[in-house]
């Protein structure tokens, strides 16, 4: 008999872009409906670089969450070459700041204020290592002469490995890992390194973006790689290995900015992420490991308790319908199309 119902600890999203203003109001409920907590990316314009900015942004997020949703935004700071180590430790010791995000300058959407020279930020990283605050890395180099499909592997060799040898106590999450190289690197390392995996990288490969016509809604950074990498990500995510957990990297952009001669990177997956993932785990005969990936491994790495509430996923005869787009004051935002029907419905679960 195939499984038709699963009850699991309420999941968390360890990498989420909620944006600001009217976009925030439009997209936040899609995450807070299904997730208990999310690590909030700080790449606003201008970025969130101080605890003072983070506390205000946190309030704007709380204001955008429907009253009947129980959701906690976990705030991060954007690392720049002028980040003050004391700001970081102050933010962390107040309980507000849960991690710091490293974007190599120019790596992705809104990363111009990112880091060019790692030596300059070393005092901040040393402080973080001392207080146990995780560093979240966008693991791609930005050198123009490095092929976009090789940028993760080159980042590991030229930035991550030297950093980890210099500061082995620093706790690091390789965000949105996309390659066999990345997966193997995490597996071979010690417990101070973990990785998030997105929903979409388990489903699409580079053919999805480029074969049979260019499909801007599947373009994100790091860009999806060839099929063998997608298969390695699926194996890692569905294995139950505690060093891999969900970070959706749901990154909404209006259609107008995606469907352009220089389209933005980012895929909006929040509305159907759990349905997509449950389908992936079902396809891999690994439904028993879904809870580890979406609800348990992340809190374990961040040293938080898992959520106390539960959700129920049940199988439906007819596919669950999700909107193709959600409307925002800035224009429509297209929802990720996994190219397969989703037969899993999510509801809160209360013990009776
Ligand atoms: C993200 C965004 O739009 O903010 N885009 C993306 O393709 N993932 C930035 C990022 O996390 O790289
Ligand atoms: Zn992201």
């Amino acid at each position: 008999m195939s499984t038709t119902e699963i009850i699991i600890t309420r999941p968390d999203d360890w990498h989420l872009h909620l944006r600001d203003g009217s976009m925030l109001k439009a997209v936040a409920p899609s995450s807070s409906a299904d997730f208990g907590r999310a690590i909030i990316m700080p790449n606003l314009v201008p970025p969130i670089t101080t605890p003072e900015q983070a506390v205000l942004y946190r309030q704007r997020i709380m204001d955008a969450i429907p009253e009947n949703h129980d959701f906690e935004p976990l705030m991060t700071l954007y690392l720049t070459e002028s980040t003050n180590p004391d700001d970081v430790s102050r933010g962390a010791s107040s309980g507000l700041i849960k991690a710091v995000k490293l974007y190599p300058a120019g790596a992705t959407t809104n990363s111009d204020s990112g880091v060019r020279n790692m030596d300059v930020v070393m005092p901040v990283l040393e402080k973080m290592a001392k207080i146990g605050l995780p560093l979240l890395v966008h693991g791609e180099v930005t050198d123009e002469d490095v092929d976009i499909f090789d940028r993760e592997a080159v980042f590991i060799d030229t930035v991550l490995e030297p950093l980890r040898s210099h500061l082995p106590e620093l706790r690091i999450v390789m965000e949105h890992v996309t390659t066999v190289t990345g997966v193997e690197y995490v597996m071979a390392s010690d417990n101070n390194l973990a990785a998030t995996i997105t929903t979409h990288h388990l489903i699409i490969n580079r053919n999805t973006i480029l074969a049979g016509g260019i499909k801007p809604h599947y373009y994100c950074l790091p860009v999806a790689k060839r099929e063998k990498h997608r298969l390695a990500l699926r194996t890692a995510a569905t294995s139950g290995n505690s060093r891999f957990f969900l970070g959706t990297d749901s990154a909404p952009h209006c259609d107008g900015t995606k469907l352009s001669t220089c389209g933005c990177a980012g895929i909006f997956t929040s509305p159907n992420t759990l349905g997509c993932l449950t389908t992936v785990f079902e396809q891999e005969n690994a439904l028993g490991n879904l809870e580890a990936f979406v609800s348990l491994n992340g809190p374990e790495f961040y040293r938080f308790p898992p959520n106390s509430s539960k959700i129920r996923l049940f199988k439906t005869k007819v596919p669950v319908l999700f909107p193709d787009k959600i409307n925002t004051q800035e224009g429509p935002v297209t929802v990720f199309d996994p190219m397969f029907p989703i037969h899993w419905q999510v509801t809160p679960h209360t013990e009776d």
Side-chain angles (χ1 to χ4, degrees), residues 63-89:
D63 293 344
I65 304 295
E67 257 172 35
N68 59 338
H69 289 183
D70 183 13
F71 179 79
E72 188 189 355
L74 306 173
M75 307 311 290
T76 63
L77 293 181
Y78 185 117
L79 183 63
T80 74
E81 292 190 355
S82 43
T83 297
N84 179 340
D86 294 332
D87 268 358
V88 171
S89 59

Side-chain angles (χ1 to χ4, degrees), residues 28-42:
S30 305
S31 288
S32 60
D34 293 343
F35 292 91
R37 297 168 289 197
I39 280 277
I40 309 299
M41 286 296 124

Side-chain angles (χ1 to χ4, degrees), residues 35-348:
F35 292 91
R37 297 168 289 197
I39 280 277
I40 309 299
M41 286 296 124
N43 65 331
L44 304 184
V45 189
I48 302 294
T49 55
T50 64
E52 288 70 25
Q53 290 170 317
V55 83
L56 296 174
Y57 184 35
R58 183 181 197 284
Q59 189 55 50
R60 297 198 294 279
I61 295 170
M62 293 311 290
D63 293 344
I65 304 295
E67 257 172 35
N68 59 338
H69 289 183
D70 183 13
F71 179 79
E72 188 189 355
L74 306 173
M75 307 311 290
T76 63
L77 293 181
Y78 185 117
L79 183 63
T80 74
E81 292 190 355
S82 43
T83 297
N84 179 340
D86 294 332
D87 268 358
V88 171
S89 59
R90 212 164 32 85
S93 60
S94 75
L96 173 71
I97 300 302
K98 307 297 196 220
V100 171
K101 178 71 190 260
L102 163 70
Y103 287 102
T108 186
T109 313
N110 306 339
S111 64
D112 297 345
S113 326
V115 174
R116 287 177 172 78
N117 178 354
M118 289 296 286
D119 293 340
V120 179
V121 295
M122 211 43 82
V124 182
L125 302 181
E126 282 162 3
K127 177 72 99 184
M128 289 169 61
K130 212 163 150 201
I131 62 178
L133 191 70
L135 176 74
L136 316 181
V137 299
H138 182 110
E140 291 191 289
V141 293
T142 54
D143 312 34
E144 269 175 32
D145 50 357
V146 178
D147 188 276
I148 189 164
F149 291 101
D150 299 334
R151 288 180 176 191
E152 185 168 289
V154 175
F155 180 88
I156 292 171
D157 285 346
T158 61
V159 183
L160 193 52
E161 180 57 25
L163 173 61
R164 293 186 56 246
S165 322
H166 177 73
L167 264 183
E169 326 79 80
L170 182 63
R171 311 183 65 245
I172 301 179
V173 184
M174 250 194 105
E175 299 287 87
H176 41 50
V177 70
T178 59
T179 59
V180 173
T181 318
V183 166
E184 288 178 349
Y185 184 74
V186 172
M187 282 180 172
S189 70
D190 61 40
N191 283 338
N192 281 348
L193 184 67
T196 56
I197 300 179
T198 75
T199 306
H200 49 276
H201 287 115
L202 297 172
I203 296 171
I204 65 169
N205 64 23
R206 65 195 201 181
N207 278 8
T208 318
I209 314 168
L210 296 170
I214 192 158
K215 314 223 180 44
H217 290 303
Y218 293 114
Y219 174 60
C220 66
L221 286 170
V223 69
K225 310 295 191 299
R226 59 168 74 237
E227 178 65 358
K228 72 169 185 189
H229 299 289
R230 184 184 76 100
L231 296 178
L233 296 172
R234 282 172 80 104
T235 303
T238 60
S239 69
N241 183 324
S242 64
R243 309 272 288 291
F244 295 95
F245 43 88
L246 175 65
T248 65
D249 196 14
S250 180
H253 290 277
C254 289
D255 285 357
T257 55
K258 294 278 305 167
L259 308 174
S260 143
T261 44
C262 184
C264 291
I267 302 181
F268 178 52
T269 56
S270 291
N272 57 6
T273 265
L274 281 184
C276 289
L277 286 169
T278 311
T279 310
V280 166
F281 277 67
E282 182 180 40
Q283 289 164 350
E284 298 290 329
N285 289 316
L287 282 173
N289 286 336
L290 179 66
E291 184 179 39
F293 183 66
V294 302
S295 314
L296 304 178
N297 298 345
E300 185 184 321
F301 182 83
Y302 276 84
R303 299 176 175 160
F304 300 148
N307 291 313
S308 50
S309 55
K310 296 196 178 301
I311 59 161
R312 174 170 170 255
L313 294 147
F314 63 95
K315 197 129 192 209
T316 57
K317 284 212 167 62
V318 289
V320 183
L321 290 180
F322 294 96
D324 295 344
K325 296 175 193 297
I326 64 157
N327 289 313
T328 78
Q329 274 176 26
E330 294 166 47
V333 176
T334 293
V335 176
F336 176 61
D337 173 5
M339 301 164 290
F340 52 66
I342 295 173
H343 285 272
W344 290 95
Q345 176 88 51
V346 190
T347 59

